[in-house]
Amino acid sequence: MIVALVLIFIALGSVVFHVVNPWWWTEIASNWGYIDDTIVLTFWITGTVFVAVILFMAYCILKFRTEKGRRAHYEPENKKLEIWLSVLTSIGVAGMLAPGLIVWQQYVTVPENASEIEVMGQQWQWNFRLPGKDGRLGKTEIRFVDDDNYFGVDPNDPNGQDDVLIEGDDLHIRMGKPIKFLLRSVDVLHDFYVPQFRAKMDLVPGVITYFWITPIRTGTFDILCAELCGIGHHEMRGSVTVEKDAAFQEWISEQETFEEVQAAALHRKLNKELAQNELEPRAKN
Amino acid sequence: MTETTSPEDDIVPPQEVPEMDLYHPHSFLTRWIFSQDAKVIAIQYSLVAISIGMVALVLSWLMRLQLGFPDSFDFIDAADYYQFITMHGMIMVVYLLTALFLGGFGNYLIPLMVGARDMVFPYINMLSFWIYLLAVLVLVSSFFVPGGPTGAGWTLYPPQAILSGTPGQEFGIILMLASLMLFIVGFTMGGLNYVVTILQARARGMTLMRMPLTIWGIFIATVLALFAFPALFVASLMMMFDKILETSFFMPAMIEFGEKMSYGGGSPILFQHLFWFFGHPEVYIVALPAFGIVSDLLSVNARKNIFGYRMMVWAIVGIGALAFVVWAHHMYVSGMNPYFGFFFATTTLIIAVPTALKVYNWVLTLWRGNIHLTLPMLFALAFILTFVNGGITGLFLGNVIVDIPLSDTMFVVAHFHMVMGVAPIMVIFGAIYHWYPLLTGRMLHNGMGQFHFWVTFLGAYAIYFPMHYLGFIGVPRRYFELGETTFIPDSAHDLNAFITVAALVVGFAQLVFLFNLFWSRRNGIVAERNPWKATTLEWQTEHMPPTHGNFGKDLPIVYRWAYDFSVPGAESDFIPQNMATKDVKLAEGMTVADLKAEKT
Amino acid sequence: MSFFSEIASKPWTDEQIKVDDQFKGHTFTLPKAMLGLRVLLVVVTMFFTLLAIAYSGRMTFEDWQSLPEPGLLWFNTGLLLVSSVVFRWTKSATQQGRNGKVKLGLFLVGALAFAFLIGQLIVWQQLADLGHFASANPANGFFYLITGLHGLHLLGGLVAWGRTTLRVMRGKIGQEKLLLSVEMCALYWSFLLVVWLAMFLLLLVT
Ligand code: HEM
Ligand SMILES: [Cu+2]
Ligand SMILES: [Cu+2]
């Protein structure tokens, strides 16, 4: 009796909890509303099965609880029933899988007009690189990395000269324009995760991974790392601001390009050499 | 031993398998310590597994304290926390569940349930345990080395696992890999035993389809493990090379805190493929024995044959086979070729069909049964509920696009705890309550058992069901603390605190259970010969608890499948597997021809 | 009866009960130890297959640099081949009960197997002298890993070989048991030969 009631309570209680509890996903800020829809669809299909199975179980416990004179029925199997159940289950599963795969097809097909933004992870900080006027990112390689070339941009690649570099600071992106995030890491695995975008993907050293979104509302959102990356994993934060085109243009024009960074570095170096040259004769004296 | 039990048994073929040469222990040492008796080895395995499991349980309390009440515990820093989750996860999955189901239940039940005197290679079986113990000791020793145990997460993903940003990268990771390799060697020895015993040392008449589902579950799980563990072994070995010899199997060119490293050209994703080629079957290595055992618990306590026995066997075999073609569903966001997603989502959802059929057959076993709500039955029912709940969230995570927002959040933590933490552990408890009388001759105390059941079942559900919603919000897993975010409401912190309290209560209930195990050993009610009126052979031994050699002078002969419950025409509501039809007591006015006259 | 038709049977029906009652208790007509060995060989096959897959997966990256194959490897392959052939010969000698030949055969097998292992160590030495250390690049790592593991498996086989040989020397082993041991060792040797040939081929084609 109690057992059956508890089972009924859990089955129905779980549904009620689902409906009334205050914890649900954040308001979406990207085009991936379909993902949310697929989750809701999956929830109701599977939820129905859960409730049905548990209620049936509770019913059996109430009805067939042992008592004097009761003897169980002898029935090794029931082919027809089993076939029916297999077919129904397969239909239910297909009903979740098909929409899922359709949306996945969209997820892996990047629109042609998407602009590229590079996300570079390192322990434990986010860096970004945006293409300059030419709309293209220069090549990178680990061997080019040094104190003055944080991103490892190939100095001989003309595409890379006007790349905008953002080191450990916030990222801004344009609303309504599809963006392809190119992800790479210089050390361990990380994962670029903005809950409001729904999309996420690992950053893997040695390869470039990607995903794409179209931001659909303005605002500033947290970036978290979603792949354990060492002791500072939980502190690897950043933020991304979605804004209208004008604001974005203003922001990007204030950022430094690779060329400028290199030039500044050269400048520093020359100054230092100069200073040293000035020092040296004195030292000789 | 070539004689059959009685002269009329002319249909029974003469014994072809020669009697086993049993190793006869002469001293305390060879009887209880270096024992070659599978039953003693089973107990040794179980005790070690439960002890190390307690360590993992205590670690989970510490983790929960940190998550529920961040900033309140100075003695837990980020490094500790990551070490705790790693050790907790690895211990629970490998050193507790795998060892307990296969080394513990497998060793105890296989020879008894198939009607053998012992495992076929008793010496290797003994070695298997000692190597397992060594593996556990190596693992534990990593708590005491400089730098502590590894904090790489139980998935041990490189490059992180062997670089300096991760705690325990000096010795912890090396000991972890060494321990895993030892475990695999030890397990392989045991696994050969289980497989060959099941295939070659059954009682006469015990065809494959007369075996109880417990044995089917353990059998297929062992086969899976034998195929899957080599992948983990290869991965561990290669990572060990990368760490010690600085090869670059998994290590690309990298910059570590501004320094260029000497590595170059390796592939971190290769490790993930190897790891999950092991890791996914591992889920079923834990689940299949649970499936098998729970089927038998349900059948015995509903006094009804398991519904659709053949379908249950096919489902176990089918799930076992499919388990090897779904591994990359753990890697949807790993950066592998995204087109793999189509394949792996499809295979993963296909595996749901046989799994669902098993669930239906469990509940249909209750239908028109004669249900005894014993403690093992309560745990079996709790298993169904938690397993269905955890199974359906698996459909979320298996469907590639739905996994994208949920992967690496608390939703995943809730899912796998429900499905491979709570559900199989319910079965372990049910099984212990069920077979304890066989081991000790006494019943576990019912009152303590009821307390343990209700607190564990309701408590575990209260821990993990709401946790899914933290995942929906977007709370990531493996976070020492959530810190400042714009999207996590304060109420989520309250929920975390609630979960922590529930976890501590559930943990406390386990202490009651452990106490019960010891207390009832001396003080429990003396059990009847076959207290659950079960049909399977382990209850039909000459002595209870069974002695060395399991059966008396003669090995049993099997005349029927394991599920002859409530057979129409028979007086009793169960017929043991080793009872010949002519010995069955008929109900009044029935003839042998009436037996099962109603059968379909 | 095949596995699949067996699991399609309905064990509760009267017809099937008659069939099942005849069952003798073992699925294969093999000695248990032999079945155990075969299962082990399946596990080891899995192990080397995974290594081979990892290797060929890695090979497809563009920065792959393969390793020179010292000529000695061919010679070693020959040693292992002969060792395995001699084991087959020893097996038939055992079947015929010719003890002198069995002893000779076992000695030869052991000597050849040890020579193979020493040969492999010399190959390592040669490669190391050329500067090809395991850490130099992934191809080298794989080479050392695969040859090392294969060698370890052979060492394991030599333990079993040693036990059998000792027993034969002492003459303290029944004909039937001896045959089983020799058969098992011979199977293992042939298996390791096949594994080696597969791995060697893989190393050669790259
Ligand atoms: C009352 C019992 C348990 C509690 C309170 C508990 C709690 C936890 C917590 C708090 C985490 C860390 C979650 C995170 O932030 O990532 C965790 C991780 C984990 N737990 Fe448990 N757990 C329990 C039992 C189990 C059992 C029985 C298993 C066996 C399957 C298990 C397997 C794991 C695994 C595999 C991880 C992941 C470790 C990782 O992220 O590397 N746990 N558990
Ligand atoms: Cu990170
Ligand atoms: Cu999986």
Side-chain angles (χ1 to χ4, degrees):
Chain A
M1 187 67 193
I2 297 179
V3 180
L5 287 182
V6 170
L7 291 178
I8 296 171
F9 175 77
I10 292 180
L12 300 181
S14 299
V15 178
V16 172
F17 181 83
H18 174 81
V19 177
V20 302
N21 85 61
W23 304 296
W24 198 230
W25 49 52
T26 50
E27 191 194 343
I28 194 165
S30 78
N31 57 318
W32 292 117
Y34 280 141
I35 296 185
D36 290 1
D37 299 342
T38 319
I39 295 184
V40 173
L41 173 78
T42 312
F43 179 85
W44 287 110
I45 294 182
T46 56
T48 313
V49 175
F50 175 67
V51 172
V53 168
I54 304 307
L55 290 185
F56 181 79
M57 208 161 95
Y59 172 77
C60 290
I61 293 167
L62 284 177
K63 185 87 195 287
F64 305 110
R65 178 92 192 255
T66 185
E67 60 192 15
K68 221 177 143 66
R70 178 181 308 281
R71 199 177 164 97
H73 190 65
Y74 188 82
E75 187 183 26
E77 64 183 20
N78 181 337
K79 256 219 182 99
K80 228 163 106 191
L81 181 63
E82 281 171 288
I83 290 174
W84 265 109
L85 287 172
S86 322
V87 171
L88 282 179
T89 310
S90 305
I91 292 174
V93 165
M96 291 178 284
L97 180 62
L101 291 187
I102 292 170
V103 183
W104 180 244
Q105 175 67 39
Q106 298 172 4
Y107 190 83
V108 299
T109 324
V110 185
E112 303 243 313
N113 61 344
S115 53
E116 297 186 335
I117 294 181
E118 181 185 80
V119 179
M120 186 190 97
Q122 77 184 101
Q123 282 170 330
W124 291 279
Q125 166 181 322
W126 297 103
N127 309 295
F128 308 96
R129 190 160 61 104
L130 290 81
K133 301 253 154 39
D134 62 355
R136 288 169 174 207
L137 288 166
K139 287 201 199 65
T140 56
E141 247 178 84
I142 289 286
R143 66 191 166 96
F144 295 126
V145 176
D146 60 33
D147 288 347
D148 301 325
N149 188 353
Y150 205 72
F151 285 76
V153 179
D154 182 346
N156 302 317
D157 185 348
N159 290 333
Q161 301 305 320
D162 61 351
D163 288 359
V164 174
L165 307 182
I166 298 165
E167 202 187 307
D169 202 355
D170 297 351
L171 172 68
H172 289 227
I173 56 180
R174 272 178 296 180
M175 200 184 91
K177 294 272 164 47
I179 295 168
K180 179 180 186 184
F181 288 105
L182 296 171
L183 313 169
R184 75 189 171 94
S185 163
V186 295
D187 41 40
V188 303
L189 303 176
H190 301 278
D191 190 299
F192 183 72
Y193 173 44
V194 179
Q196 286 86 347
F197 290 170
R198 301 299 186 262
K200 65 158 89 75
M201 189 57 74
D202 277 8
L203 285 63
V204 184
V207 288
I208 295 176
T209 56
Y210 69 90
F211 70 85
W212 75 277
I213 63 157
T214 308
I216 57 164
R217 76 183 163 92
T218 56
T220 298
F221 310 112
D222 293 317
I223 304 171
L224 287 85
C225 179
E227 187 68 72
L228 183 55
C229 57
I231 203 167
H233 171 52
H234 57 283
E235 280 164 352
M236 185 167 165
R237 305 287 172 99
S239 87
V240 50
T241 300
V242 179
E243 58 197 7
K244 299 251 167 61
D245 196 43
F248 174 77
Q249 295 304 349
E250 195 187 320
W251 171 80
I252 199 163
S253 62
E254 290 164 3
Q255 307 303 317
E256 272 187 322
T257 66
F258 178 59
E259 224 165 11
E260 287 161 11
V261 174
Q262 292 291 88
L266 198 65
H267 195 72
R268 267 204 310 278
K269 214 150 92 208
L270 289 179
N271 273 349
K272 211 158 117 199
E273 268 168 29
L274 223 69
Q276 228 150 39
N277 284 347
E278 274 171 17
L279 282 176
E280 259 164 37
R282 234 180 286 161
K284 268 182 192 153
N285 287 345
Chain B
M1 256 312 298
T2 44
E3 238 81 303
T4 48
T5 39
S6 74
E8 303 112 38
D9 280 336
D10 51 1
I11 52 159
V12 175
Q15 171 107 5
E16 273 212 341
V17 200
E19 255 306 295
M20 270 185 185
D21 319 321
L22 282 182
Y23 174 81
H24 290 289
H26 301 294
S27 63
F28 176 84
L29 211 59
T30 46
R31 180 174 306 243
W32 297 115
I33 309 293
F34 296 104
S35 171
Q36 302 189 17
D37 180 350
K39 294 188 293 303
V40 178
I41 296 174
I43 292 168
Q44 293 174 327
Y45 249 115
S46 307
L47 291 180
V48 175
I50 291 174
S51 314
I52 190 76
M54 288 305 293
V55 174
L57 183 67
V58 172
L59 292 177
S60 82
W61 297 342
L62 296 173
M63 281 139 51
R64 272 315 326 174
L65 283 175
Q66 168 61 30
L67 288 178
F69 310 99
D71 306 328
S72 323
F73 298 96
D74 291 340
F75 60 93
I76 306 175
D77 63 21
D80 295 329
Y81 181 79
Y82 292 126
Q83 290 169 328
F84 294 166
I85 62 168
T86 307
M87 297 306 271
H88 162 83
M90 192 65 96
I91 291 175
M92 285 290 189
V93 173
V94 175
Y95 299 85
L96 171 67
L97 290 180
T98 308
L100 190 55
F101 269 123
L102 299 179
F105 288 103
N107 263 317
Y108 203 90
L109 295 175
I110 291 171
L112 277 165
M113 286 181 115
V114 303
R117 294 225 180 268
D118 202 333
M119 288 289 180
V120 289
F121 313 124
Y123 183 74
I124 296 183
N125 208 22
M126 175 186 80
L127 278 187
S128 161
F129 166 72
W130 287 99
I131 297 179
Y132 164 64
L133 181 62
L134 184 62
V136 170
L137 292 178
V138 171
L139 186 77
V140 170
S141 72
S142 73
F143 281 102
F144 304 103
V145 294
T150 174
W154 87 284
T155 46
L156 305 178
Y157 283 175
Q160 185 244 129
I162 57 178
L163 296 191
S164 58
T166 301
Q169 63 95 32
E170 302 95 325
F171 301 106
I173 182 69
I174 294 177
L175 290 172
M176 170 64 90
L177 296 172
S179 170
L180 284 173
M181 289 195 273
L182 281 171
F183 181 91
I184 294 167
V185 171
F187 171 78
T188 305
M189 294 180 162
L192 289 178
N193 253 306
Y194 315 152
V195 169
V196 179
T197 306
I198 292 174
L199 288 175
Q200 296 299 78
R202 278 171 281 155
R204 278 173 289 163
M206 182 67 95
T207 52
L208 288 180
M209 293 304 272
R210 280 179 172 180
M211 294 195 310
L213 286 167
T214 299
I215 298 299
W216 269 108
I218 293 176
F219 177 46
I220 300 294
T222 308
V223 174
L224 248 61
L226 287 174
F227 277 107
F229 273 125
L232 182 63
F233 195 95
V234 169
S236 307
L237 192 63
M238 286 162 72
M239 182 132 79
M240 195 82 123
F241 269 52
D242 280 0
K243 173 76 195 163
I244 297 178
L245 302 179
E246 300 194 7
T247 53
S248 298
F249 292 116
F250 303 131
M251 310 295 277
M254 281 169 296
I255 309 268
E256 193 188 33
F257 301 115
E259 295 291 316
K260 285 203 182 81
M261 306 200 72
S262 64
Y263 293 114
S267 160
I269 295 185
L270 173 62
F271 176 89
Q272 300 186 24
H273 280 296
L274 287 170
F275 182 87
W276 288 112
F277 187 80
F278 143 79
H280 187 82
E282 170 61 37
V283 176
Y284 288 101
I285 293 166
V286 171
L288 292 181
F291 288 175
I293 292 172
V294 85
S295 307
D296 288 349
L297 296 184
L298 285 166
S299 173
V300 169
N301 288 294
R303 312 308 300 155
K304 185 165 172 257
N305 61 286
I306 189 81
F307 184 82
Y309 173 77
R310 294 194 303 158
M311 181 63 91
M312 295 304 250
V313 172
W314 300 339
I316 289 181
V317 175
I319 291 171
L322 284 170
F324 284 101
V325 290
V326 297
W327 77 88
H329 63 208
H330 298 273
M331 298 169 58
Y332 289 145
V333 298
S334 71
M336 66 173 179
N337 184 337
Y339 285 91
F340 288 178
F342 291 103
F343 175 77
F344 285 101
T346 309
T347 52
T348 303
L349 266 66
I350 288 176
I351 225 176
V353 178
T355 312
L357 286 172
K358 292 196 77 80
V359 171
Y360 303 145
N361 285 356
W362 287 323
V363 291
L364 285 169
T365 302
L366 303 176
W367 173 249
R368 296 168 82 179
N370 176 17
I371 297 171
H372 292 59
L373 290 177
T374 60
L375 272 169
M377 184 63 154
L378 292 181
F379 278 105
L381 297 174
F383 162 82
I384 298 182
L385 190 139
T386 49
F387 182 74
V388 175
N389 194 285
I392 60 181
T393 51
L395 289 167
F396 287 67
L397 298 172
N399 202 352
V400 51
I401 192 69
V402 178
D403 179 61
I404 296 294
L406 296 178
S407 65
D408 286 308
T409 66
M410 289 312 267
F411 187 91
V412 176
V413 177
H415 156 71
F416 69 69
H417 276 98
M418 197 74 109
V419 82
M420 82 172 301
V422 180
I425 284 200
M426 289 293 158
V427 176
I428 287 179
F429 288 139
I432 292 177
Y433 284 95
H434 182 80
W435 279 299
Y436 189 84
L438 183 66
L439 265 77
T440 62
R442 288 174 192 264
M443 311 294 279
L444 279 167
H445 187 266
N446 188 52
M448 281 190 259
Q450 292 280 346
F451 172 80
H452 174 227
F453 168 74
W454 287 108
V455 176
T456 307
F457 171 45
L458 297 178
Y461 199 78
I463 297 172
Y464 292 114
F465 185 71
M467 194 186 281
H468 292 94
Y469 291 86
L470 289 175
F472 278 128
I473 298 175
V475 176
R477 75 188 268 210
R478 293 170 167 172
Y479 260 42
F480 168 63
E481 60 193 359
L482 295 175
E484 289 289 305
T485 60
T486 53
F487 66 97
I488 301 175
D490 281 344
S491 59
H493 298 293
D494 301 337
L495 178 57
N496 253 330
F498 165 78
I499 291 176
T500 296
V501 173
L504 294 176
V505 172
V506 169
F508 168 72
Q510 308 318 307
L511 301 182
V512 175
F513 171 67
L514 287 184
F515 175 75
N516 196 355
L517 283 184
F518 288 104
W519 185 86
S520 302
R521 177 112 185 63
R522 295 256 166 277
N523 309 305
I525 302 170
V526 176
E528 295 163 39
R529 265 318 306 270
N530 181 355
W532 317 106
K533 300 194 169 44
T535 59
T536 39
L537 296 179
E538 80 274 25
W539 297 102
Q540 330 295 341
T541 55
E542 197 173 70
H543 303 279
M544 182 171 124
T547 46
H548 190 44
N550 290 349
F551 299 95
K553 190 168 123 305
D554 297 323
L555 279 171
I557 298 171
V558 171
Y559 297 95
R560 58 194 69 251
W561 70 332
Y563 298 98
D564 261 346
F565 287 106
S566 305
V567 178
E571 187 191 59
S572 163
D573 69 351
F574 75 108
I575 311 176
Q577 281 192 280
N578 59 347
M579 183 178 279
T581 302
K582 66 181 167 45
D583 298 329
V584 175
K585 233 188 185 166
L586 299 170
E588 256 181 40
M590 295 284 178
T591 65
V592 172
D594 290 324
L595 275 182
K596 300 194 203 173
E598 287 177 37
K599 72 169 172 257
T600 36
Chain C
M1 205 165 31
S2 83
F3 177 73
F4 288 102
S5 64
E6 187 161 358
I7 62 170
S9 68
K10 299 181 177 178
W12 57 88
T13 58
D14 283 341
E15 309 82 75
Q16 188 62 35
I17 285 176
K18 292 210 183 72
V19 178
D20 285 351
D21 278 348
Q22 297 299 317
F23 178 69
K24 294 180 177 130
H26 50 87
T27 300
F28 299 103
T29 44
L30 273 182
K32 287 167 194 154
M34 189 55 124
L35 182 67
L37 176 64
R38 292 204 185 174
V39 178
L40 179 67
L41 295 189
V42 174
V43 175
V44 179
T45 308
M46 191 74 204
F47 183 75
F48 280 102
T49 311
L50 285 165
L51 276 174
I53 292 174
Y55 181 82
S56 30
R58 180 60 190 74
M59 230 162 64
T60 55
F61 291 25
E62 70 250 27
D63 61 336
W64 183 257
Q65 300 168 319
S66 51
L67 185 89
E69 287 92 15
L72 188 55
L73 275 180
W74 286 96
F75 180 71
N76 290 348
T77 309
L79 285 178
L80 193 61
L81 184 84
V82 177
S83 172
S84 178
V85 170
V86 175
F87 227 141
R88 303 245 125 191
W89 176 79
T90 313
K91 191 175 108 183
S92 38
T94 321
Q95 274 155 349
Q96 293 154 6
R98 300 198 187 162
N99 256 357
K101 279 193 173 177
V102 175
K103 279 184 198 165
L104 177 66
L106 284 173
F107 271 127
L108 268 177
V109 165
L112 287 164
F114 277 116
F116 171 82
L117 287 178
I118 293 167
Q120 295 288 74
L121 286 177
I122 296 174
V123 170
W124 280 10
Q125 184 62 48
Q126 288 178 349
L127 284 173
D129 287 346
L130 290 174
H132 290 284
F133 300 108
S135 55
N137 68 42
N140 296 13
F142 272 110
F143 179 84
Y144 284 101
L145 185 66
I146 289 176
T147 48
L149 285 171
H150 180 265
L152 276 180
H153 280 86
L154 189 58
L155 265 183
L158 279 168
V159 172
W161 164 87
R163 271 180 49 150
T164 315
T165 311
L166 272 182
R167 287 193 187 159
V168 174
M169 299 310 294
R170 294 208 199 111
K172 270 207 303 199
I173 183 167
Q175 184 62 20
E176 215 170 290
K177 270 205 166 152
L178 174 64
L179 184 58
L180 185 61
S181 307
V182 173
E183 271 181 343
M184 283 171 57
C185 287
L187 175 65
Y188 189 70
W189 246 248
S190 315
F191 171 80
L192 283 188
L193 175 67
V194 174
V195 169
W196 173 248
L197 290 178
M199 293 294 145
F200 189 39
L201 195 73
L202 190 70
L203 297 172
L204 274 187
V205 297
T206 57

